[in-house]
Amino acid sequence: MDDPSLALIEHALGRLRRNQVRRSLGRISEEQPAARVDLSLIPVLYAVEEGAETDSEGVTVGLVADRIGLDPSRASRMVGSAIQAGYLERVASQTDGRRIQLRLTGEGADLARRAHLFRQAFLGQAIAHWSDRDRAELARLFSRFVEDLSNTDPC
């Protein structure tokens, strides 16, 4: 497909990702000692925070792996690190006691909340000079884009 818009979007998404990690997450590490906050675990916390896809399923390591695009063994190690850091806890499934689910601890929920606030503040600064209409339009179109992207098979 030879659509110049697609190249611009792809480039912008790469820049957005780099800016989010470097700026907003970097501020969290300044707020707390680096030894206490492993910023690479924030995507794991977000994946758990998003919740289960169905009420009976619960959030599992497999679901975390799918959401953050990692193989199950790498996701399992990251989940283990988040548990060891005190951000997540393992709980037995209410519908199947053999199945282990994940839940944010108070500290994990607080870290995820602070990461969201930093990202929102960063975004707010970037578009502070935009009109309310333009901000609403960006929110509408970007949300639509992300939803369509989530429903698109990359193969």
Side-chain angles (χ1 to χ4, degrees):
M1 196 177 239
D2 190 26
D3 183 348
S5 297
L6 296 176
L8 288 172
I9 292 168
E10 187 267 337
H11 180 71
L13 286 172
R15 289 184 63 200
L16 176 66
R17 182 167 186 254
R18 287 189 305 275
N19 278 330
Q20 285 288 275
V21 170
R22 185 176 62 244
R23 291 186 178 161
S24 60
L25 295 182
R27 289 191 184 134
I28 292 172
S29 66
E30 292 171 5
E31 186 178 284
Q32 292 192 359
R36 282 198 22 91
V37 179
D38 181 351
L39 300 177
S40 69
L41 299 179
I42 289 178
V44 173
L45 302 184
Y46 283 171
V48 173
E49 179 186 50
E50 192 175 327
E53 293 179 357
T54 65
D55 288 337
S56 63
E57 180 183 270
V59 179
T60 62
V61 172
L63 183 57
V64 169
D66 287 345
R67 285 186 175 159
I68 60 178
L70 294 176
D71 63 272
S73 64
R74 173 78 176 123
S76 180
R77 287 191 299 274
M78 290 182 75
V79 164
S81 294
I83 290 168
Q84 190 173 29
Y87 301 139
L88 294 178
E89 61 186 353
R90 290 184 178 100
V91 294
S93 167
Q94 297 302 309
T95 58
D96 182 351
R98 298 167 296 173
R99 189 178 179 120
I100 300 299
Q101 298 175 348
L102 303 169
R103 180 171 54 204
L104 289 173
T105 63
E107 189 175 353
D110 183 59
L111 179 57
R113 180 190 58 76
R114 286 186 296 116
H116 285 301
L117 291 174
F118 277 116
R119 286 182 173 185
Q120 290 169 23
F122 171 70
L123 294 172
Q125 288 176 355
I127 62 174
H129 62 283
W130 290 25
S131 69
D132 288 347
R133 181 174 175 244
D134 285 350
R135 291 165 66 123
E137 186 68 1
L138 174 63
R140 184 185 71 78
L141 288 174
F142 199 68
S143 295
R144 178 178 158 195
F145 169 70
V146 170
E147 184 63 31
D148 288 347
L149 195 60
S150 297
N151 294 324
T152 301
D153 185 357
C155 297

